[in-house]
Amino acid sequence: MSQVPSESVSEPASGHAGAVAAPAHTSSNTAAARFAPRTRTAFDQFVAAYAVVLILSNIGATKGIEIGPIVTDGGFFLFPIAYVLGDVVSEVWGFRAARRAIITSFAAALFASICFWIIIALPSASFYEGQEAFVQVLGPVPLIVAGSLLGFLVGQLLNAWVLVKVKEKTREKHLWARLISSTLVGQFVDTLIFCAVAAPIIGIQTFGQFLNYVIVGYVWKCLVEVLVIPVTYAVVARLKKTEPYWDGERPEVTA
């Protein structure tokens, strides 16, 4: 008598005749959902901070600020932070990464500007009484972004390029030298271009006021970068220990 293979007949679990057991789950049923891998890096956080600082700086720049003889704009305390972030990105991840961060930030700033323009153009509700103030504050932003796009793009790219070139000469030594030299070059071009566009928007009319605006902005931005060098050193040192930074021995950040 031939024996029937055990897998051909299954005993119904419920005891009802003719019941067929549920088939076993296949690998296709139990396969986990797949997602793209994400490397462990702080670069994306720096890009996000880059974009936020730039957008807020452009909005703040629509307000003219006068403190005694000093003439500046409302974004004066924010914009230097962008260069500090740019220095860190250039030092740790290189010129190509810095360029990517700059372009991404400008795309975000341009998108914000377009959104403001659309919001202003939309018809106001009958109960809304802030349209005039809204236009006065956010209306000039697209023009300021245009100046910022040109000035910041050229200035930041110069800043990153100079820093990387100096690093090729000094390697991991004298970080302060490349931080200061890159800032002096990038901030000068950036400030000159941006102020030329922003000055009439915030109400600067005379050449003396414009010269004050440029000089104060340039000196202030460079001064902030020098003052926060200890912080920049600490951030760079931390990132070089935690980020994928060469296959061999991790470099030390030295003066």
Side-chain angles (χ1 to χ4, degrees):
M1 179 181 295
S2 61
Q3 185 177 6
V4 179
S6 60
E7 64 267 21
S8 63
V9 178
S10 59
E11 185 69 19
S14 60
H16 295 290
V20 179
H25 290 293
T26 63
S27 59
S28 61
N29 298 117
T30 59
R34 300 180 62 184
F35 302 97
R38 180 179 179 274
T39 57
R40 185 177 64 86
T41 176
F43 177 73
D44 47 355
Q45 282 87 356
F46 273 80
V47 174
Y50 229 147
V52 170
V53 169
L54 179 59
I55 293 172
L56 292 179
S57 297
N58 290 333
I59 296 175
T62 62
K63 178 179 180 178
I65 301 292
E66 190 172 3
I67 306 174
I70 298 176
V71 178
T72 183
D73 59 66
F76 77 96
F77 67 96
L78 281 169
F79 204 71
I81 300 176
Y83 268 79
V84 175
L85 294 172
D87 285 341
V88 173
V89 171
S90 301
E91 172 68 20
V92 177
W93 290 286
F95 180 76
R96 292 181 63 184
R99 181 177 59 190
R100 177 182 175 185
I102 293 168
I103 294 175
T104 302
S105 299
F106 274 114
L110 181 60
F111 176 71
S113 181
I114 293 173
C115 288
F116 289 138
W117 179 80
I118 294 175
I119 294 170
I120 290 172
L122 290 173
S124 301
S126 58
F127 55 82
Y128 182 68
E129 300 178 355
Q131 177 68 11
E132 184 177 349
F134 193 87
V135 172
Q136 187 176 2
V137 173
L138 295 178
V141 168
L143 295 177
I144 289 180
V145 168
S148 181
L149 281 172
L150 181 59
F152 190 77
L153 181 63
V154 176
Q156 281 281 10
L157 288 176
L158 278 174
N159 179 78
W161 184 81
V162 170
L163 189 147
V164 171
K165 287 300 180 181
V166 176
K167 184 174 181 178
E168 291 176 356
K169 301 292 184 180
T170 60
R171 299 301 178 181
E172 296 301 317
K173 297 180 180 180
H174 309 308
L175 175 58
W176 62 269
R178 47 188 181 270
L179 291 177
I180 294 176
S181 60
S182 62
T183 296
L184 291 176
V185 175
Q187 288 283 18
F188 177 75
V189 176
D190 186 353
T191 303
L192 185 63
I193 295 175
F194 177 75
C195 288
V197 176
I201 297 175
I202 66 175
I204 293 178
Q205 299 177 348
T206 68
F207 179 75
Q209 289 178 327
F210 174 74
L211 193 61
N212 186 312
Y213 187 31
V214 173
I215 293 176
V216 169
Y218 178 64
V219 172
W220 164 256
K221 294 169 186 176
C222 293
L223 180 61
V224 169
E225 179 119 9
V226 172
L227 291 176
V228 300
I229 279 181
V231 178
T232 306
Y233 262 77
V235 173
V236 168
R238 175 64 178 172
L239 288 172
K240 286 183 177 180
K241 290 180 180 179
T242 58
E243 292 294 298
Y245 196 83
W246 297 344
D247 295 329
E249 183 180 354
R250 295 185 183 277
E252 296 292 335
V253 179
T254 62

mmCIF file of all heavy atoms in Angstrom, residues 84 175-176 179 223-238 253:
data_model
loop_
_atom_site.group_PDB
_atom_site.id
_atom_site.type_symbol
_atom_site.label_atom_id
_atom_site.label_comp_id
_atom_site.label_asym_id
_atom_site.label_seq_id
_atom_site.Cartn_x
_atom_site.Cartn_y
_atom_site.Cartn_z
ATOM 1 N N VAL A 84 29.537 81.744 9.664
ATOM 2 C CA VAL A 84 30.102 80.782 10.607
ATOM 3 C C VAL A 84 29.706 79.368 10.193
ATOM 4 O O VAL A 84 30.533 78.445 10.174
ATOM 5 C CB VAL A 84 29.637 81.086 12.043
ATOM 6 C CG1 VAL A 84 30.128 80.004 13.000
ATOM 7 C CG2 VAL A 84 30.134 82.454 12.492
ATOM 8 N N LEU A 175 43.714 76.831 11.827
ATOM 9 C CA LEU A 175 42.319 77.012 11.423
ATOM 10 C C LEU A 175 41.918 78.476 11.480
ATOM 11 O O LEU A 175 41.165 78.956 10.629
ATOM 12 C CB LEU A 175 41.407 76.175 12.319
ATOM 13 C CG LEU A 175 39.895 76.335 12.128
ATOM 14 C CD1 LEU A 175 39.491 76.018 10.695
ATOM 15 C CD2 LEU A 175 39.137 75.442 13.108
ATOM 16 N N TRP A 176 42.419 79.201 12.467
ATOM 17 C CA TRP A 176 42.082 80.618 12.607
ATOM 18 C C TRP A 176 42.474 81.409 11.357
ATOM 19 O O TRP A 176 41.766 82.347 10.961
ATOM 20 C CB TRP A 176 42.789 81.222 13.833
ATOM 21 C CG TRP A 176 44.294 81.176 13.748
ATOM 22 C CD1 TRP A 176 45.122 80.203 14.193
ATOM 23 C CD2 TRP A 176 45.133 82.167 13.147
ATOM 24 N NE1 TRP A 176 46.431 80.504 13.923
ATOM 25 C CE2 TRP A 176 46.472 81.711 13.285
ATOM 26 C CE3 TRP A 176 44.896 83.385 12.519
ATOM 27 C CZ2 TRP A 176 47.557 82.436 12.799
ATOM 28 C CZ3 TRP A 176 45.981 84.111 12.042
ATOM 29 C CH2 TRP A 176 47.305 83.637 12.178
ATOM 30 N N LEU A 179 39.872 80.756 8.639
ATOM 31 C CA LEU A 179 38.584 81.335 9.019
ATOM 32 C C LEU A 179 38.575 82.841 8.774
ATOM 33 O O LEU A 179 37.632 83.395 8.192
ATOM 34 C CB LEU A 179 38.286 81.053 10.491
ATOM 35 C CG LEU A 179 37.995 79.602 10.881
ATOM 36 C CD1 LEU A 179 37.805 79.487 12.388
ATOM 37 C CD2 LEU A 179 36.775 79.067 10.145
ATOM 38 N N LEU A 223 33.915 91.045 12.609
ATOM 39 C CA LEU A 223 34.169 91.042 14.046
ATOM 40 C C LEU A 223 33.470 89.871 14.726
ATOM 41 O O LEU A 223 34.048 89.201 15.593
ATOM 42 C CB LEU A 223 33.711 92.357 14.662
ATOM 43 C CG LEU A 223 33.916 92.519 16.173
ATOM 44 C CD1 LEU A 223 35.397 92.422 16.520
ATOM 45 C CD2 LEU A 223 33.336 93.848 16.648
ATOM 46 N N VAL A 224 32.224 89.618 14.331
ATOM 47 C CA VAL A 224 31.479 88.507 14.914
ATOM 48 C C VAL A 224 32.187 87.187 14.642
ATOM 49 O O VAL A 224 32.336 86.339 15.530
ATOM 50 C CB VAL A 224 30.036 88.455 14.362
ATOM 51 C CG1 VAL A 224 29.352 87.155 14.749
ATOM 52 C CG2 VAL A 224 29.234 89.638 14.884
ATOM 53 N N GLU A 225 32.679 87.043 13.430
ATOM 54 C CA GLU A 225 33.362 85.783 13.092
ATOM 55 C C GLU A 225 34.619 85.588 13.937
ATOM 56 O O GLU A 225 34.919 84.481 14.377
ATOM 57 C CB GLU A 225 33.724 85.772 11.606
ATOM 58 C CG GLU A 225 34.449 84.529 11.161
ATOM 59 C CD GLU A 225 33.705 83.761 10.105
ATOM 60 O OE1 GLU A 225 32.706 84.284 9.600
ATOM 61 O OE2 GLU A 225 34.114 82.634 9.798
ATOM 62 N N VAL A 226 35.354 86.682 14.160
ATOM 63 C CA VAL A 226 36.561 86.592 14.984
ATOM 64 C C VAL A 226 36.193 86.248 16.424
ATOM 65 O O VAL A 226 36.843 85.408 17.070
ATOM 66 C CB VAL A 226 37.353 87.911 14.926
ATOM 67 C CG1 VAL A 226 38.502 87.886 15.926
ATOM 68 C CG2 VAL A 226 37.904 88.141 13.520
ATOM 69 N N LEU A 227 35.141 86.876 16.945
ATOM 70 C CA LEU A 227 34.744 86.664 18.332
ATOM 71 C C LEU A 227 34.273 85.227 18.601
ATOM 72 O O LEU A 227 34.441 84.709 19.707
ATOM 73 C CB LEU A 227 33.647 87.655 18.730
ATOM 74 C CG LEU A 227 34.077 89.125 18.829
ATOM 75 C CD1 LEU A 227 32.874 90.008 19.127
ATOM 76 C CD2 LEU A 227 35.153 89.312 19.888
ATOM 77 N N VAL A 228 33.666 84.607 17.585
ATOM 78 C CA VAL A 228 33.128 83.254 17.797
ATOM 79 C C VAL A 228 34.095 82.169 17.333
ATOM 80 O O VAL A 228 33.716 80.995 17.268
ATOM 81 C CB VAL A 228 31.767 83.075 17.075
ATOM 82 C CG1 VAL A 228 30.751 84.066 17.587
ATOM 83 C CG2 VAL A 228 31.925 83.186 15.566
ATOM 84 N N ILE A 229 35.335 82.533 17.036
ATOM 85 C CA ILE A 229 36.322 81.528 16.628
ATOM 86 C C ILE A 229 36.453 80.408 17.648
ATOM 87 O O ILE A 229 36.535 79.222 17.268
ATOM 88 C CB ILE A 229 37.687 82.187 16.341
ATOM 89 C CG1 ILE A 229 37.668 82.796 14.932
ATOM 90 C CG2 ILE A 229 38.829 81.179 16.451
ATOM 91 C CD1 ILE A 229 38.977 83.458 14.522
ATOM 92 N N PRO A 230 36.474 80.681 18.966
ATOM 93 C CA PRO A 230 36.533 79.565 19.922
ATOM 94 C C PRO A 230 35.361 78.597 19.773
ATOM 95 O O PRO A 230 35.535 77.379 19.894
ATOM 96 C CB PRO A 230 36.503 80.275 21.279
ATOM 97 C CG PRO A 230 37.071 81.629 21.021
ATOM 98 C CD PRO A 230 36.582 81.991 19.651
ATOM 99 N N VAL A 231 34.175 79.130 19.499
ATOM 100 C CA VAL A 231 33.011 78.268 19.292
ATOM 101 C C VAL A 231 33.179 77.467 18.006
ATOM 102 O O VAL A 231 32.877 76.268 17.953
ATOM 103 C CB VAL A 231 31.715 79.102 19.243
ATOM 104 C CG1 VAL A 231 30.508 78.209 18.973
ATOM 105 C CG2 VAL A 231 31.529 79.882 20.539
ATOM 106 N N THR A 232 33.662 78.124 16.962
ATOM 107 C CA THR A 232 33.880 77.443 15.690
ATOM 108 C C THR A 232 34.889 76.317 15.851
ATOM 109 O O THR A 232 34.723 75.214 15.308
ATOM 110 C CB THR A 232 34.374 78.432 14.626
ATOM 111 O OG1 THR A 232 33.467 79.534 14.532
ATOM 112 C CG2 THR A 232 34.477 77.760 13.263
ATOM 113 N N TYR A 233 35.946 76.568 16.597
ATOM 114 C CA TYR A 233 36.953 75.536 16.870
ATOM 115 C C TYR A 233 36.309 74.325 17.540
ATOM 116 O O TYR A 233 36.575 73.175 17.177
ATOM 117 C CB TYR A 233 38.045 76.101 17.776
ATOM 118 C CG TYR A 233 39.292 76.551 17.044
ATOM 119 C CD1 TYR A 233 39.325 77.747 16.348
ATOM 120 C CD2 TYR A 233 40.439 75.764 17.058
ATOM 121 C CE1 TYR A 233 40.468 78.174 15.689
ATOM 122 C CE2 TYR A 233 41.595 76.168 16.407
ATOM 123 C CZ TYR A 233 41.605 77.369 15.717
ATOM 124 O OH TYR A 233 42.734 77.763 15.062
ATOM 125 N N ALA A 234 35.490 74.588 18.553
ATOM 126 C CA ALA A 234 34.865 73.495 19.301
ATOM 127 C C ALA A 234 33.928 72.682 18.413
ATOM 128 O O ALA A 234 33.911 71.448 18.467
ATOM 129 C CB ALA A 234 34.104 74.061 20.495
ATOM 130 N N VAL A 235 33.132 73.363 17.584
ATOM 131 C CA VAL A 235 32.193 72.674 16.697
ATOM 132 C C VAL A 235 32.948 71.845 15.660
ATOM 133 O O VAL A 235 32.608 70.686 15.396
ATOM 134 C CB VAL A 235 31.257 73.685 16.007
ATOM 135 C CG1 VAL A 235 30.397 72.987 14.961
ATOM 136 C CG2 VAL A 235 30.370 74.383 17.030
ATOM 137 N N VAL A 236 33.971 72.443 15.057
ATOM 138 C CA VAL A 236 34.758 71.729 14.048
ATOM 139 C C VAL A 236 35.433 70.502 14.660
ATOM 140 O O VAL A 236 35.432 69.411 14.071
ATOM 141 C CB VAL A 236 35.809 72.668 13.423
ATOM 142 C CG1 VAL A 236 36.824 71.879 12.593
ATOM 143 C CG2 VAL A 236 35.127 73.708 12.541
ATOM 144 N N ALA A 237 36.020 70.664 15.832
ATOM 145 C CA ALA A 237 36.691 69.538 16.491
ATOM 146 C C ALA A 237 35.711 68.411 16.785
ATOM 147 O O ALA A 237 36.026 67.224 16.608
ATOM 148 C CB ALA A 237 37.355 70.012 17.780
ATOM 149 N N ARG A 238 34.516 68.779 17.238
ATOM 150 C CA ARG A 238 33.507 67.771 17.541
ATOM 151 C C ARG A 238 33.081 67.019 16.283
ATOM 152 O O ARG A 238 32.968 65.783 16.289
ATOM 153 C CB ARG A 238 32.296 68.453 18.187
ATOM 154 C CG ARG A 238 31.109 67.541 18.441
ATOM 155 C CD ARG A 238 31.441 66.456 19.433
ATOM 156 N NE ARG A 238 30.286 65.613 19.703
ATOM 157 C CZ ARG A 238 30.346 64.503 20.425
ATOM 158 N NH1 ARG A 238 31.480 64.107 20.970
ATOM 159 N NH2 ARG A 238 29.254 63.785 20.624
ATOM 160 N N VAL A 253 42.360 69.343 15.599
ATOM 161 C CA VAL A 253 42.216 70.754 15.251
ATOM 162 C C VAL A 253 43.169 71.532 16.142
ATOM 163 O O VAL A 253 43.005 71.571 17.354
ATOM 164 C CB VAL A 253 40.773 71.246 15.440
ATOM 165 C CG1 VAL A 253 40.670 72.714 15.096
ATOM 166 C CG2 VAL A 253 39.840 70.426 14.580
#
